[in-house]
Amino acid sequence: MELADSELLIRITELSGENLRSCYQCGKCSASCPMTDFMDLFPRDVIKQILEGKEQVLLSETPWVCASCFSCTVRCPNEIDIAGVMEAVRQIRLREKYDRFHPSRIPLDELEGLPQIALIGCFRKMTG
Amino acid sequence: MKSITYFPGCTHHTNGRNMESSGKAVLETLGYQLEEMPEWICCGTVFGLSEDDLFHQVAPIRNLARVENAGDDKLVTMCAMCYNTLGRANLLVRKDKVALEALNRFMDDEPDYHGVVDVFHLSQFLRDEVGFEKISSKVRRPLKGLKVMPYYGCLLLRPEEVSIDSMEDPTIICDILEAVGVQSIKGSYISQCCGSYHTVDKKEAVARRAFEIISSARKKGAEMIALACPLCEFNLDDRQRLLSDNGMPVLYFTELLALAFGLEDSCDFDEHYVDPRPLLREKGLLGGSNGQE
């Protein structure tokens, strides 16, 4: 029996343009990810929870730890742009006026040494 | 001297100025003058990945429209992130005419963009336009005996549509460095992410990435890392200050070319956290030690 797509899956599919239903949970994304030590869910689990319509996935740390390095994306045997799926999760939160990070959290003595490329990249990914 | 249009991006004028100054000097020796494109703005830094997020394509396409309007069809950048963001936005609008039209309408104060500009990273330009033979012909001091691990990071290689080389087995920076006598070391972590912009919000995670990448380079026998991105440079070099086991010099590959061409004045080694000069002196690669200066 095919379950109907949840609202969450529909929204993520619209935002990412990806067909998550082609995921067969091989875990290659998670094996390729250099940031899993800092994640609460493996990338594969994020995909699984979205497929199951579990809205709690929107509160996961994982999409905010993803650095959009595209290791998962280029290795997925089903050509799912997993980095794009992570961005879709972030976008859902950011479009609710949620800011993951605020510039005031950068200690002043560190701010001066940080390259612009890091600051702008961070704010583009982490603020709404 | 041929002129090429250059997109500096935010960081090669500031924290990453060593790559710009050495890259410029190297290109001049090879017969190319970098002309900074007029009125450039931020490239957008990170490519927008959402289907409906055209807004994040405005910055890169505005730059490309300005290049096209100035009559150019080629844009060279030294920054891996600028390369990736400009390059992907360009491919997007070449494929998606509706998106291009929407962007052109939105930027009604700019002349329209038609998708004619090709975006190059400097390393591609050196491989494809200049060629390794020409690079070798300008060497005044071969960098013999220097064991260097080229580090590629993510955005020069992924995703495939913008990859400058093989995604899993890149050789482009090795090949360029070997043309000036460097002994390149192939590491296992050369295309693993440095942690990118998380250096702002998760610097410990980035220091951990730096530790893993540098440890792998050491295990393979590398004495130095050479790279092509100002964010990778900060993360692998400056973040070593958070590590107890530090001291791996991290240079832009253009600085090594400059050194080989006798242009060491174009590199300000004080800009690096780990000073590469003790190693370079030990190898007889600084100053007039080999009598050729």
Side-chain angles (χ1 to χ4, degrees):
Chain A
M1 187 183 77
E2 188 72 18
L3 293 175
D5 287 354
S6 64
E7 261 180 57
L8 176 68
L9 178 56
I10 292 168
R11 187 75 186 114
I12 295 280
T13 304
E14 277 171 2
L15 282 168
S16 67
E18 298 302 310
N19 174 19
L20 275 65
R21 288 233 180 259
S22 67
C23 170
Y24 49 48
Q25 291 287 300
C26 70
K28 206 169 178 184
C29 48
S30 310
S32 296
C33 179
M35 299 295 274
T36 48
D37 283 357
F38 305 94
M39 291 175 170
D40 57 346
L41 294 175
F42 285 124
R44 150 170 85 176
D45 298 321
V46 170
I47 305 284
K48 185 162 182 276
Q49 293 202 3
I50 295 167
L51 283 166
E52 291 168 346
K54 290 185 176 158
E55 301 255 339
Q56 80 239 25
V57 75
L58 297 174
L59 302 175
S60 166
E61 289 286 316
T62 296
W64 306 100
V65 175
C66 165
S68 300
C69 81
F70 305 104
S71 294
C72 51
T73 296
V74 302
R75 290 177 182 157
C76 174
N78 293 314
E79 298 183 352
I80 303 172
D81 177 7
I82 297 132
V85 174
M86 296 296 167
E87 178 116 325
V89 176
R90 288 191 295 267
Q91 284 290 318
I92 289 176
R93 300 291 314 278
L94 295 175
R95 290 177 192 193
E96 294 163 345
K97 300 285 171 210
Y98 170 76
D99 286 332
R100 180 68 181 186
F101 188 75
H102 194 274
S104 62
R105 282 169 49 192
I106 306 171
L108 274 182
D109 58 329
E110 281 182 32
L111 183 61
E112 204 178 329
L114 284 167
Q116 290 87 337
I117 188 171
L119 293 165
I120 300 164
C122 181
F123 298 142
R124 281 216 142 171
K125 289 283 189 184
M126 316 280 268
T127 60
Chain B
M1 188 82 78
K2 286 186 202 158
S3 159
I4 48 177
T5 307
Y6 166 59
F7 182 84
C10 58
T11 304
H12 282 316
H13 274 352
T14 52
N15 302 56
R17 61 176 77 84
N18 257 339
M19 185 170 192
E20 183 179 87
S21 56
S22 55
K24 262 186 179 172
V26 162
L27 280 169
E28 274 168 31
T29 300
L30 293 164
Y32 297 88
Q33 179 83 41
L34 283 182
E35 298 287 350
E36 188 167 314
M37 76 163 266
E39 293 188 79
W40 62 271
I41 57 165
C42 172
C43 68
T45 316
V46 284
F47 181 73
L49 299 173
S50 295
E51 289 286 296
D52 62 352
D53 189 12
L54 263 193
F55 189 67
H56 276 108
Q57 311 303 342
V58 171
I61 298 302
R62 195 185 289 280
N63 281 304
L64 297 177
R66 287 176 183 178
V67 174
E68 183 182 289
N69 187 50
D72 281 321
D73 58 6
K74 229 181 236 182
L75 185 64
V76 173
T77 178
M78 298 190 195
C79 171
M81 278 184 121
C82 294
Y83 166 74
N84 191 283
T85 304
L86 293 167
R88 290 193 76 181
N90 200 29
L91 293 177
L92 173 84
V93 301
R94 281 178 178 175
K95 267 194 302 216
D96 185 344
K97 295 296 161 203
V98 177
L100 178 59
E101 203 189 312
L103 286 162
N104 278 332
R105 269 205 313 275
F106 181 80
M107 298 186 289
D108 57 2
D109 52 333
E110 299 280 344
D112 280 358
Y113 182 55
H114 302 90
V116 308
V117 178
D118 287 319
V119 180
F120 294 88
H121 185 260
L122 176 67
S123 55
Q124 279 175 303
F125 185 82
L126 289 171
R127 178 190 61 191
D128 302 337
E129 295 271 338
V130 180
F132 303 129
E133 262 178 48
K134 177 104 182 258
I135 295 171
S136 290
S137 75
K138 299 292 178 188
V139 172
R140 292 175 57 199
R141 175 166 45 199
L143 303 185
K144 292 284 180 218
L146 192 61
K147 294 180 196 141
V148 180
M149 184 186 87
Y151 171 80
Y152 297 85
C154 316
L155 297 178
L156 292 175
L157 300 176
R158 295 186 293 270
E160 191 167 18
E161 61 181 16
V162 286
S163 185
I164 64 169
D165 201 354
S166 155
M167 288 194 295
E168 298 289 352
D169 191 18
T171 61
I172 178 170
I173 299 177
C174 296
D175 296 339
I176 293 171
L177 290 177
E178 284 175 4
V180 301
V182 166
Q183 183 185 345
S184 76
I185 302 280
K186 199 170 158 186
S188 328
Y189 284 64
I190 56 175
S191 59
Q192 273 211 6
C193 183
C194 66
S196 188
Y197 52 82
H198 286 311
T199 206
V200 177
D201 68 308
K202 289 182 189 55
K203 65 180 176 189
E204 287 75 18
V206 170
R208 172 82 158 276
R209 297 300 311 137
F211 173 75
E212 285 171 2
I213 293 162
I214 290 165
S215 305
S216 134
R218 277 216 185 95
K219 270 184 227 153
K220 300 270 177 179
E223 300 162 304
M224 178 183 277
I225 291 173
L227 40 67
C229 169
L231 186 48
C232 297
E233 199 282 332
F234 181 82
N235 286 347
L236 296 192
D237 178 27
D238 204 273
R239 286 306 183 211
Q240 286 187 59
R241 70 175 79 233
L242 301 176
L243 304 176
S244 53
D245 181 19
N246 58 21
M248 171 68 82
V250 178
L251 292 190
Y252 293 108
F253 78 93
T254 51
E255 291 178 278
L256 290 174
L257 296 185
L259 211 53
F261 287 5
L263 304 166
E264 68 185 62
D265 289 348
S266 67
C267 313
D268 181 358
F269 294 123
D270 287 328
E271 292 278 323
H272 297 287
Y273 170 67
V274 177
D275 189 345
R277 284 168 291 200
L279 173 68
L280 295 172
R281 261 187 224 109
E282 183 194 314
K283 303 276 174 184
L285 300 174
L286 268 191
S289 55
N290 66 349
Q292 290 188 20
E293 284 296 296

